[in-house]
Amino acid sequence: MSSATTIAQYDIFEHEIKADIPGNPYLDTEFWGVFALNNRKIRVPGFYDGDGVFKVRFSPDHPGDWTLTTESDTAALNGQTASFTATEPREGVRGPVHVRNRFHFAYADGTPYFPFTTTCYAWTHQPLEMQEQTFKSLEDTRAFNKLRMCVMPKSYPYNQNEPLHDVYEVRADGKYDPDRPNFAAFRHFENQIARLAEMNIEADVIIFHPYDRWDHCMWTEEQDYRYLQYLVARIAAYRNVWWSLANEYDFMLDVKPMDRWDRFFQIIEETDPYLHPKSIHQGNPDLCYDHRKPWVSHVSIQHSDVSQTPEWRAQYGKPVLNDEMHYEGNILQFWGNITAETMVHRFWMTVLKGGYAGHGETYVHPQDLLWWAKGGELRGQSPERIAFLRKIIEEDVSEGLTPVDEIPGFRSHRLVASSKEGDLTYIYLGEHRPVVLSTGLPMEDGDYEIDIIDGWNMTITPGKKVPAPVPVATRHGAITRGGKPDAAFGVELPGNPYLCVRVRRRR
């Protein structure tokens, strides 16, 4: 972030106005910045930052000489001007992420982006030392390039401590005053988003959630809208922001009805000029938001049956992110006690069925220091194996994988994940252990590079081609032999589970 007259593309230009305005400027003032480059004009909301300071932020999407003019019904905030020059992006800075190729994502410069997500709901509300440990864990594992994180603190099992900062001022009854933000809390939150950006980690910002002892769930419609508009004005300029309207929105429908959730999306549409990805997350699988609505960019879902990933693609026609597939850990709740092997298996299944997966970790700790709740230290075995999968996908794939069920002439077993991109085919066998694989392999002969990938042991070894076996057919319980091979060749496999066969035709 800079107030200098020269900044790099996708960095942040900030213009500050100091004005002594009576009353409560959070409630009573509104101002906008109009940024112009040649004949382009982009209108961006400004915000109040306390102590008589007003700010407007902008992230230029193109190099050149930009100008700013402010607009407001408040005289002190109207008609201010500034200018700056945007240069080429800094090395490694690719801009905001957007949907590309219908089911996938790319940065603004066209570089593909494949989300590998983890959840640390209230990490920015923990002691600073623990927040530093979170950064270190993310840097050391290199497994995750997206982090789900709440604006508001949480009140929930394993997360009962007081937050580092109250997001709004606290009234005598212990509840937040929705008319008085704690500006220090917002500054801290956005600073942590900025640090994630420098690590090339997207910040999936969860705006509302039901786990609340501060009564932020109970705000009026007007108070909700004001909070949302304020948040967008403050952080939309950060290139790594994603909008998650809620964690488990359906648990709040009694106080925030469906039409309010629709309006939340529309407010972001109206005030975020960068069109960051936006979605919403449910608790009950039967109460999914209608992700087909035009303002939803991608599907954010909570479901343990990852075999349904192609069905969600077909149902919604958008990228599918299964943000909660249960968590690696050993707590009492069943959603938080799957094994590391199961977590890794669900990642492979989801990714190779054309979707994207979310990690979380919930190991019992004497001080309730659980990664899923507070960040800090990762203790599980899945992150390094998720990093292994991420490296493979980022090296192999350029446009995005398509599950073979969507390709004419191909079919896969529900509990096997198979996908393609051009001459590249993956077949992930999960718990299945055939001695020879032929189903799903190319039908035409040719020169192929074949690898056996062990997702748990993190090894890649050359595969051995063998003659394609003739499939065994069954009819009314009787076994018959005959017919033709269902592929041009077979691949010999060792007997261990969680294997993936990678086949790439050499041209």
Side-chain angles (χ1 to χ4, degrees):
M1 192 159 51
S2 173
S3 60
T5 55
T6 300
I7 67 165
Q9 182 180 337
Y10 305 129
D11 285 354
I12 297 178
F13 173 83
E14 180 179 285
H15 181 69
E16 180 179 303
I17 303 171
K18 293 185 178 179
D20 185 12
I21 296 175
N24 183 344
Y26 174 71
L27 297 179
D28 304 330
T29 60
E30 181 178 292
F31 85 107
W32 296 75
V34 179
F35 290 85
L37 175 68
N38 300 324
N39 64 343
R40 287 183 67 202
K41 289 187 177 181
I42 302 172
R43 196 165 183 259
V44 177
F47 62 94
Y48 182 55
D49 198 28
D51 298 324
V53 174
F54 298 81
K55 295 178 178 179
V56 62
R57 292 171 175 161
F58 180 67
S59 180
D61 62 356
H62 197 278
D65 296 324
W66 291 82
T67 61
L68 161 67
T69 304
T70 63
E71 297 177 347
S72 178
D73 291 336
T74 303
L77 304 177
N78 187 53
Q80 293 259 348
T81 61
S83 63
F84 66 94
T85 298
T87 61
E88 295 294 329
R90 292 182 289 122
E91 184 177 357
V93 174
R94 304 181 180 95
V97 169
H98 298 114
V99 173
R100 185 179 72 167
N101 299 332
R102 190 180 184 187
F103 295 107
H104 304 287
F105 300 93
Y107 293 100
D109 71 354
T111 304
Y113 170 77
F114 307 106
F116 283 80
T117 304
T118 190
T119 293
C120 296
Y121 284 126
W123 77 278
T124 63
H125 298 286
Q126 307 311 312
L128 292 176
E129 182 179 358
M130 191 168 186
Q131 294 187 42
E132 292 303 317
Q133 179 63 55
T134 303
F135 283 119
K136 185 176 187 304
S137 295
L138 292 168
E139 184 176 14
D140 289 348
T141 61
R142 301 191 181 278
F144 308 113
N145 57 11
K146 185 161 75 73
L147 181 66
R148 298 176 68 226
M149 51 193 281
C150 297
V151 181
M152 298 291 184
K154 288 189 71 172
S155 179
Y156 195 70
Y158 317 107
N159 200 343
Q160 299 289 350
N161 59 306
E162 291 301 317
L164 177 69
H165 298 286
D166 288 304
V167 181
Y168 281 72
E169 292 184 14
V170 179
R171 301 182 308 216
D173 62 0
K175 310 302 182 184
Y176 281 170
D177 183 342
D179 295 340
R180 299 190 179 279
N182 179 0
F183 303 108
F186 280 97
R187 290 184 206 118
H188 175 73
F189 188 73
E190 66 200 19
N191 287 342
Q192 303 304 64
I193 290 174
R195 290 184 62 180
L196 291 174
E198 293 305 305
M199 299 170 66
N200 290 320
I201 296 175
E202 303 293 296
D204 199 351
V205 175
I206 298 168
I207 300 169
F208 298 97
H209 68 74
Y211 306 108
D212 168 27
R213 63 174 180 267
W214 301 271
D215 263 11
H216 50 73
C217 279
M218 307 303 295
W219 289 353
T220 67
E221 187 174 3
E222 181 183 357
Q223 290 163 344
D224 278 347
Y225 293 163
R226 186 181 298 115
Y227 155 60
L228 178 56
Q229 290 169 324
Y230 186 76
L231 182 68
V232 174
R234 284 203 74 120
I235 70 173
Y238 292 88
R239 63 182 180 272
N240 61 325
V241 162
W242 293 40
W243 305 114
S244 178
L245 265 291
N247 180 65
E248 299 174 333
Y249 88 100
D250 47 312
F251 297 165
M252 296 177 277
L253 283 173
D254 56 335
V255 292
K256 300 184 194 301
M258 187 62 76
D259 60 348
R260 196 182 304 188
W261 295 105
D262 291 344
R263 181 60 187 143
F264 291 154
F265 274 108
Q266 293 159 9
I267 288 171
I268 298 175
E269 287 268 292
E270 294 163 3
T271 52
D272 172 14
Y274 315 100
L275 302 178
H276 291 295
K278 51 189 179 298
S279 192
I280 190 168
H281 170 274
Q282 101 293 335
N284 186 332
D286 298 325
L287 288 175
C288 280
Y289 187 84
D290 185 358
H291 301 286
R292 295 170 299 181
K293 292 181 179 180
W295 43 73
V296 182
S297 63
H298 63 280
V299 180
S300 172
I301 203 162
Q302 174 177 187
H303 210 296
S304 60
D305 184 3
V306 299
S307 68
Q308 296 187 48
T309 303
E311 297 167 24
W312 297 323
R313 282 172 53 114
Q315 180 179 357
Y316 297 114
K318 296 177 181 180
V320 173
L321 279 69
N322 195 337
D323 286 315
E324 288 191 46
M325 311 180 299
H326 293 168
Y327 299 133
E328 176 189 354
N330 59 2
I331 60 175
L332 294 175
Q333 292 84 349
F334 279 106
W335 49 259
N337 56 31
I338 65 171
T339 65
E341 290 89 345
T342 301
M343 174 64 74
V344 173
H345 166 68
R346 290 179 183 177
F347 257 83
W348 278 88
M349 284 287 288
T350 301
V351 172
L352 297 192
K353 282 184 175 288
Y356 298 97
H359 161 274
E361 187 181 289
T362 49
Y363 282 104
V364 170
H365 188 278
Q367 284 81 49
D368 283 346
L369 303 182
L370 281 64
W371 172 266
W372 143 91
K374 300 176 180 177
E377 181 182 356
L378 282 160
R379 301 178 177 88
Q381 295 179 287
S382 66
E384 63 177 319
R385 292 165 173 87
I386 294 169
F388 175 71
L389 171 60
R390 175 185 169 188
K391 185 173 186 291
I392 290 171
I393 297 300
E394 290 181 343
E395 290 178 351
D396 285 357
V397 181
S398 58
E399 300 297 326
L401 294 172
T402 300
V404 297
D405 301 270
E406 297 177 12
I407 301 172
F410 287 86
R411 288 291 182 270
S412 71
H413 191 281
R414 186 176 185 86
L415 298 181
V416 171
S418 184
S419 56
K420 294 176 68 70
E421 183 190 76
D423 291 331
L424 173 69
T425 301
Y426 291 107
I427 305 170
Y428 173 67
L429 298 169
E431 297 172 347
H432 294 272
R433 309 185 193 188
V435 294
V436 173
L437 174 70
S438 62
T439 302
L441 294 176
M443 296 292 293
E444 68 278 4
D445 209 348
D447 185 13
Y448 293 94
E449 178 185 355
I450 304 170
D451 293 303
I452 310 299
I453 304 173
D454 186 325
W456 181 257
N457 293 309
M458 298 177 286
T459 60
I460 302 175
T461 56
K464 180 181 178 182
K465 284 179 67 172
V466 297
V470 175
V472 176
T474 62
R475 181 176 178 137
H476 304 304
I479 297 178
T480 63
R481 298 183 184 276
K484 296 185 295 185
D486 57 7
F489 56 89
V491 176
E492 191 174 83
L493 296 174
N496 48 317
Y498 306 120
L499 296 181
C500 177
V501 176
R502 177 175 63 187
V503 181
R504 183 185 286 110
R505 184 165 191 163
R506 298 189 182 101
R507 294 289 182 177

